[in-house]
Amino acid sequence: MLFYSFFKTLVGKEVIVELKNDLEVKGVLHSVDQYLNVKLDNMEPLQPEQYPQMLALKNCFIRGSVVRYISISKEDVAVDFLQDAARREAKKAK
């Protein structure tokens, strides 16, 4: 649940999602669920010449199991939130 809670804080921020098939898309995180499925608004592929069919899409839903990485800007990382959440998770595990 730590990652789910963290990604919920990123709603409305711009992210880059790299899929397992090497497709990378940039967009604004609209929503995320407990399976880390993500919905992006204002989506655009980072390699438009390789994936021209993706240029027509503006919104997309990405299944969490096909995501390799989600890149975020350094300013959007809430370090204090992550540290507190990690401590709470560790206490629950004991």
Side-chain angles (χ1 to χ4, degrees):
M1 289 307 235
L2 176 63
F3 289 113
Y4 171 57
S5 299
F6 173 68
F7 281 115
K8 283 195 320 186
T9 66
L10 296 175
V11 170
K13 309 281 185 182
E14 190 169 272
V15 296
I16 298 173
V17 180
E18 181 180 338
L19 306 181
K20 291 180 180 177
N21 67 353
D22 295 326
L23 171 64
E24 291 179 297
V25 294
K26 178 171 65 170
V28 177
L29 185 64
H30 179 268
S31 62
V32 62
D33 66 12
Q34 69 270 21
Y35 301 106
L36 299 182
N37 299 321
V38 296
K39 182 177 179 195
L40 297 179
D41 288 333
N42 303 323
M43 185 215 69
E44 60 185 62
L46 292 183
Q47 307 98 348
E49 63 283 341
Q50 191 174 358
Y51 300 99
Q53 68 276 17
M54 299 295 289
L55 293 172
L57 299 176
K58 294 298 172 203
N59 302 318
C60 72
F61 177 85
I62 302 172
R63 185 180 166 126
S65 64
V66 301
V67 173
R68 183 179 294 152
Y69 298 113
I70 297 180
S71 302
I72 57 177
S73 69
K74 195 173 184 178
E75 303 86 50
D76 294 334
V77 178
V79 176
D80 295 335
F81 171 79
L82 284 175
Q83 289 173 342
D84 290 342
R87 285 188 198 105
R88 279 186 259 126
E89 291 278 327
K91 284 182 182 179
K92 282 185 197 177
K94 288 183 180 180

